[in-house]
Amino acid sequence: MKLLLICILSLALINCSSTIKDAELFAAKDEWLQAVLAYRKALIKDPGDIELRSRLKQTELKAADFYYQHGLKMLQQKNIDAAIVQYQRGLIAKSDHSKLEQAMKDLLIIKEANRVYREGVLSREAERHEDAKKLFAQVLRIYPDHEQAALELQSYQLKSDEQSENDFALTSTDPVTLNFKKSDIRSTFKFLAKSFGITVIFDDTIKDVSVTLFAKDVTFKQALNLLLVTTKTFYKKLGKNTILLAPDSKEKRGQYEDYIIRSFALRNTKAKKMSAILKSMLSIKKLIINEKQNTIMVRSTADVLELVDKVIAVNDRKPAELILDVEILEVNRTKTEQLGLDFGSTISVAYESFTGSFSRALSLGTVTLPGISFSYLKQDIDAKILANPKIRVIDDKPAKIHIGDRVPLRSSTIQNVTGQTRTTYTYTDIGIKMTVEPDIHLDNSVTVKMNLEVSSLGQNLGTVSEPAFSIGTRNATTFMLLRDGETAILGGLIRDEDRRSTAKVPGLGDIPVLGRLFSNDDNQSVRTDVLLTITPRIVRGWDLPPKNLRNIYSGTEKTYTNQPIFSNFNDNLSRTDVEISESSQRSILSGKIEASHEDIINLRFKKPAYTVLAGGEIEVQIYGENLENIKSLPFEVLYNPSLVSLWHSEGELDEKNSTPGILRVPLYKINISNDKPVVIYKLKMKGIKPGISYLVFRTSEYQRENGDEVKTQVQTTRVIVH
């Protein structure tokens, strides 16, 4: 026995020594992660070895520093994915390395920003400029130092500035007063040309009409629009200070207006459907679609093409999407009872061929009596079929679920000319079949159209050689209106089947009491119940168009244009929402973009949605943006106390005044010197029971140090408890 123990200890020491040597070899080759794993393996075998534990700690630190430096080298080469791999190896070696943790977080932010940037580039190449600007601005919110996104926004802003500048090379920009009374059309435009230093060329079909007009202190564009409307003419720009004036008629517009062919790539809507929208909305005749590439080509004027772009931007939005959480429970219970004597049902008599008397025939005959069997069977069978499928589907598209078997059933028997027969089969779905078609509304409620069929293979109604099975079915069709996360229950699909049969000897089986000895009972009871629950969970709500696309100017009944006739008299009507504020425009001209929101404080949660198990914990971070020179920021977070509870918080918590469902955060110690997004508060929530709790901000009035009041913009989030 002692010899055996000595052998075992010797083998363990040899194995441990071999593992340590392997770790040292890995370290010598700069394979630090393998070295760490080798030391950990050796420490598992000998957990009490203090020297081995010390070597492991040193190797972990060296490995973390090695992979951190290699990650920096990869980052200098702009190879983000390789840098992430290096940092991941370092964190495997030493999970609590602060530099690696921070570097990994920064790289993941950069990677997410690059992903959004690529989406913006694709949108720009597809002529989806509004979406592109929104995505580039989102990149800067994620990672403010993203140079390429800043350049893209700078390019858009410069183009916008160029379009907003006066396109005419005017000699004067001072306003003038128009005072014409039955003046000739040529003299009115000559006055305009002389006042602002432009050249006007008249089409030969311009008629001599009198003009009566009075307008005080109008700019060049205002005066030009007034004269065009009054004289029913239009102009075509020929140069910086030259215009061609012609009657506003279909013939002349067709003669002078430039036509452009532009291709529009669609993301979500089919080209055929979008073409019908454009034809009915803008009366476009020269339009073709490419169904394979899902693109539309339109030939029209620049104003109409701009309207086409806006109409497409409004209608080509991502559809809403949800996950259907379905639970199906089928319970089958079968009771069988057989009890009594079975005397059979037939007595057979057989005779051989004979000659002679009848008495001799009786002596030659054979009588066969049936056997007697005693049945004493009793069964009680419970069977449960439980399924919990989760299926993801977009709005207005059917989702199908089948839980069961595909059973081949005889369809037909065919005999060919040679006499050979061939049997064909049809595969039929047997089991639980469900078809669901959701209709997602703007408030994230869902109208669900559901068809449920529960089928089973019945008895054979045919013969053994030519079977014909019956199929028992139970069907239900319903429409339901459910909220996001609300569970609906469908039950009552019960099927009861009772069979009772008695076989007895005629006469003897009818004797009271004693008749039980000459009878056999066979009873069977089958009960099947199906219970279904369905819960819709919104993955993505409707992608609504931005506010600046919900009201689009389209011209008059006669002509299409992207600006109202008298837009110059109210500049605010023709302005569209810009992604960058005026203070940022000055930064753009200097080559730098900053995320400025002027006098609006932004409060938001880190994620738009959180998930947690009942009894589990989550951390929720609250970000503040544009908090410069604001030292006091009290706010409240509202939540559903029956679903989640405040488990722990970091920062200032007003525990005395907080009540279930309301978390009050005073935050009187804010000292932020920039307007970038920062984490201002952290809280941890604990799930109580399944459901969805929304976290909603409730704010008050805030002021900067100079006394200026600022507005507050907040975003909500939701916690999904499973």
Side-chain angles (χ1 to χ4, degrees):
M1 186 67 180
K2 290 182 179 180
L3 181 60
L4 179 61
L5 290 173
I6 292 171
C7 292
I8 293 173
L9 290 173
S10 299
L11 290 174
L13 290 172
I14 293 171
N15 191 15
C16 185
S17 177
S18 176
T19 306
I20 293 173
K21 289 181 179 179
D22 291 340
E24 292 174 350
L25 289 175
F26 285 132
K29 296 178 183 179
D30 283 340
E31 297 180 4
W32 290 98
L33 182 57
Q34 298 297 328
V36 169
L37 296 177
Y39 276 123
R40 287 175 180 173
K41 184 178 179 181
L43 190 61
I44 291 173
K45 296 178 180 179
D46 189 7
D49 193 330
I50 299 175
E51 182 181 356
L52 187 59
R53 189 178 297 276
S54 176
R55 286 188 181 184
L56 175 60
K57 294 293 183 183
Q58 293 175 5
T59 307
E60 286 179 344
L61 186 59
K62 291 180 180 179
D65 291 336
F66 174 81
Y67 289 117
Y68 177 74
Q69 296 299 329
H70 270 251
L72 292 179
K73 291 180 181 179
M74 296 295 103
L75 198 57
Q76 289 174 358
Q77 299 173 8
K78 297 185 178 180
N79 192 343
I80 295 177
D81 292 333
I84 289 176
V85 171
Q86 296 297 319
Y87 291 156
Q88 286 175 340
R89 292 176 179 175
L91 289 172
I92 293 174
K94 189 172 179 59
S95 59
D96 57 348
H97 196 277
S98 58
K99 288 185 178 180
L100 280 173
E101 288 179 347
Q102 187 60 41
M104 177 63 81
K105 290 179 181 179
D106 294 340
L107 276 189
L108 292 177
I109 290 174
I110 294 174
K111 188 173 182 179
E112 175 64 14
N114 289 340
R115 183 191 66 80
V116 179
Y117 172 76
R118 288 192 293 270
E119 289 186 13
V121 172
L122 292 176
S123 297
R124 184 202 63 199
E125 292 175 351
E127 302 290 336
R128 302 292 297 272
H129 298 295
E130 291 296 329
D131 292 340
K133 287 192 289 184
K134 187 185 297 183
L135 289 170
F136 292 141
Q138 182 181 347
V139 171
L140 293 181
R141 287 195 295 270
I142 298 173
Y143 181 57
D145 297 329
H146 200 287
E147 296 179 358
Q148 294 170 314
L151 291 175
E152 293 285 354
L153 277 179
Q154 176 182 350
S155 176
Y156 273 116
Q157 188 63 34
L158 292 176
K159 289 179 181 178
S160 177
D161 292 341
E162 290 176 1
Q163 293 175 358
S164 62
E165 290 178 356
N166 195 345
D167 295 333
F168 290 90
L170 304 178
T171 58
S172 175
T173 58
D174 296 333
V176 297
T177 298
L178 304 180
N179 189 5
F180 304 115
K181 187 174 182 180
K182 295 183 179 181
S183 301
D184 179 72
I185 184 174
R186 285 180 169 80
S187 62
T188 57
F189 277 98
K190 287 179 180 178
F191 172 80
L192 188 66
K194 184 178 180 181
S195 299
F196 294 99
I198 65 169
T199 302
V200 180
I201 302 175
F202 295 93
D203 182 80
D204 56 0
T205 58
I206 289 288
K207 297 181 180 179
D208 293 333
V209 294
S210 59
V211 178
T212 301
L213 176 64
F214 177 77
K216 187 178 181 180
D217 295 335
V218 292
T219 64
F220 167 73
K221 283 191 174 181
Q222 292 172 345
L224 180 61
N225 280 350
L226 286 172
L227 289 176
L228 292 175
V229 173
T230 305
T231 59
K232 296 181 181 180
T233 55
F234 77 100
Y235 75 92
K236 177 180 174 60
K237 188 178 177 183
L238 303 179
K240 276 292 184 180
N241 63 345
T242 304
I243 62 173
L244 171 67
L245 195 69
D248 191 1
S249 63
K250 184 178 180 180
E251 179 184 356
K252 288 298 179 181
R253 283 188 175 272
Q255 179 180 349
Y256 291 119
E257 285 186 335
D258 296 325
Y259 275 69
I260 305 168
I261 297 177
R262 184 180 297 176
S263 176
F264 299 90
L266 304 178
R267 288 183 176 179
N268 306 288
T269 308
K270 293 298 182 182
K272 189 175 182 179
K273 184 177 180 180
M274 186 62 70
S275 67
I277 295 175
L278 294 175
K279 288 178 180 178
S280 61
M281 181 70 67
L282 301 176
S283 303
I284 297 176
K285 297 180 180 179
K286 297 178 181 180
L287 180 150
I288 61 172
I289 63 175
N290 187 328
E291 293 189 9
K292 189 173 182 180
Q293 297 181 355
N294 201 36
T295 58
I296 294 177
M297 293 187 68
V298 182
R299 181 179 184 268
S300 190
T301 62
D303 286 343
V304 174
L305 290 178
E306 189 170 345
L307 290 174
V308 170
D309 188 33
K310 291 181 178 180
V311 171
I312 290 177
V314 170
N315 293 278
D316 188 25
R317 316 299 298 184
K318 288 183 180 180
E321 191 173 7
L322 56 75
I323 290 179
L324 293 171
D325 190 351
V326 182
E327 289 187 358
I328 302 172
L329 176 64
E330 183 180 12
V331 181
N332 296 320
R333 184 168 188 179
T334 303
K335 291 183 178 181
T336 303
E337 183 177 319
Q338 295 178 354
L339 181 64
L341 294 171
D342 186 0
F343 292 91
S345 59
T346 58
I347 299 176
S348 60
V349 180
Y351 293 95
E352 296 181 359
S353 60
F354 69 94
T355 57
S357 63
F358 181 73
S359 60
R360 185 173 180 271
L362 291 176
S363 63
L364 296 175
T366 302
V367 179
T368 303
L369 296 176
I372 300 175
S373 61
F374 179 64
S375 300
Y376 52 92
L377 172 67
K378 187 173 182 179
Q379 285 184 331
D380 193 348
I381 303 173
D382 283 333
K384 293 182 180 180
I385 301 175
L386 178 63
N388 185 207
K390 292 180 174 61
I391 187 167
R392 185 166 175 166
V393 62
I394 63 175
D395 175 72
D396 204 27
K397 297 294 182 182
K400 297 182 179 180
I401 300 173
H402 175 224
I403 303 171
D405 303 308
R406 289 179 59 83
V407 179
L409 299 178
R410 182 190 294 266
S411 177
S412 62
T413 301
I414 303 172
Q415 185 174 9
N416 56 24
V417 294
T418 62
Q420 295 179 340
T421 59
R422 178 168 54 89
T423 303
T424 61
Y425 294 88
T426 301
Y427 283 84
T428 304
D429 293 332
I430 302 296
I432 299 174
K433 292 192 297 182
M434 186 178 70
T435 303
V436 180
E437 188 173 333
D439 183 8
I440 305 173
H441 306 299
L442 294 179
D443 60 351
N444 283 348
S445 61
V446 185
T447 298
V448 180
K449 176 185 178 183
M450 185 177 69
N451 294 316
L452 178 65
E453 178 183 313
V454 182
S455 58
S456 59
L457 199 63
Q459 60 182 348
N460 184 7
L461 302 179
T463 62
V464 176
S465 59
E466 294 186 1
F469 293 95
S470 64
I471 298 177
T473 62
R474 282 163 288 168
N475 299 279
T477 300
T478 183
F479 291 84
M480 296 176 288
L481 179 62
L482 302 174
R483 297 187 300 273
D484 181 18
E486 182 182 2
T487 300
I489 301 176
L490 180 64
L493 296 177
I494 301 173
R495 179 182 179 183
D496 282 326
E497 183 178 349
D498 290 324
R499 295 179 183 178
R500 300 180 182 274
S501 61
T502 302
K504 56 187 178 180
V505 178
L508 297 177
D510 296 328
I511 298 175
V513 182
L514 295 178
R516 296 285 296 175
L517 299 175
F518 302 96
S519 61
N520 181 277
D521 294 330
D522 186 358
N523 300 327
Q524 188 177 36
S525 176
V526 180
R527 180 184 177 90
T528 304
D529 189 9
V530 176
L531 182 67
L532 179 143
T533 66
I534 182 170
T535 306
R537 303 190 188 280
I538 302 296
V539 176
R540 180 181 60 245
W542 281 104
D543 181 19
L544 297 177
K547 187 179 293 185
N548 63 307
L549 291 179
R550 298 177 193 173
N551 186 19
I552 304 172
Y553 291 106
S554 61
T556 63
E557 184 69 23
K558 186 178 179 181
T559 59
Y560 291 107
T561 180
N562 56 10
Q563 289 186 355
I565 297 175
F566 301 107
S567 61
N568 294 301
F569 288 90
N570 187 359
D571 292 335
N572 292 328
L573 293 177
S574 61
R575 289 181 183 172
T576 56
D577 294 339
V578 294
E579 300 290 340
I580 309 173
S581 61
E582 294 180 1
S583 61
S584 296
Q585 295 177 21
R586 294 189 292 270
S587 300
I588 287 175
L589 295 177
S590 62
K592 181 180 178 182
I593 293 184
E594 298 178 355
S596 173
H597 298 275
E598 297 185 355
D599 289 332
I600 298 178
I601 295 175
N602 289 314
L603 293 179
R604 61 180 175 85
F605 297 93
K606 183 178 180 180
K607 298 180 181 179
Y610 297 84
T611 58
V612 64
L613 295 175
E617 303 162 9
I618 59 170
E619 182 180 82
V620 180
Q621 294 183 350
I622 299 175
Y623 279 73
E625 190 174 1
N626 199 28
L627 301 179
E628 187 177 4
N629 297 328
I630 292 182
K631 292 187 175 181
S632 176
L633 189 69
F635 62 89
E636 297 175 349
V637 179
L638 310 183
Y639 62 96
N640 188 341
S642 63
L643 300 179
V644 294
S645 64
L646 179 66
W647 181 77
H648 182 267
S649 64
E650 297 180 3
E652 297 182 30
L653 172 63
D654 192 354
E655 296 181 344
K656 295 181 179 179
N657 296 323
S658 294
T659 58
I662 302 176
L663 171 65
R664 295 183 176 87
V665 183
L667 283 184
Y668 292 121
K669 299 177 182 179
I670 295 183
N671 187 14
I672 298 173
S673 59
N674 58 69
D675 55 2
K676 294 182 179 180
V678 293
V679 179
I680 60 174
Y681 188 74
K682 295 180 181 179
L683 59 91
K684 288 187 178 180
M685 306 289 288
K686 182 176 181 180
I688 298 177
K689 65 179 182 179
I692 297 179
S693 173
Y694 286 89
L695 303 184
V696 182
F697 285 109
R698 188 159 66 184
T699 61
S700 57
E701 297 180 357
Y702 305 118
Q703 292 182 348
R704 300 194 186 274
E705 288 183 345
N706 58 7
D708 292 340
E709 293 185 358
V710 292
K711 298 180 180 179
T712 308
Q713 183 176 353
V714 298
Q715 296 180 4
T716 62
T717 188
R718 56 180 179 172
V719 180
I720 303 173
V721 184
H722 294 291

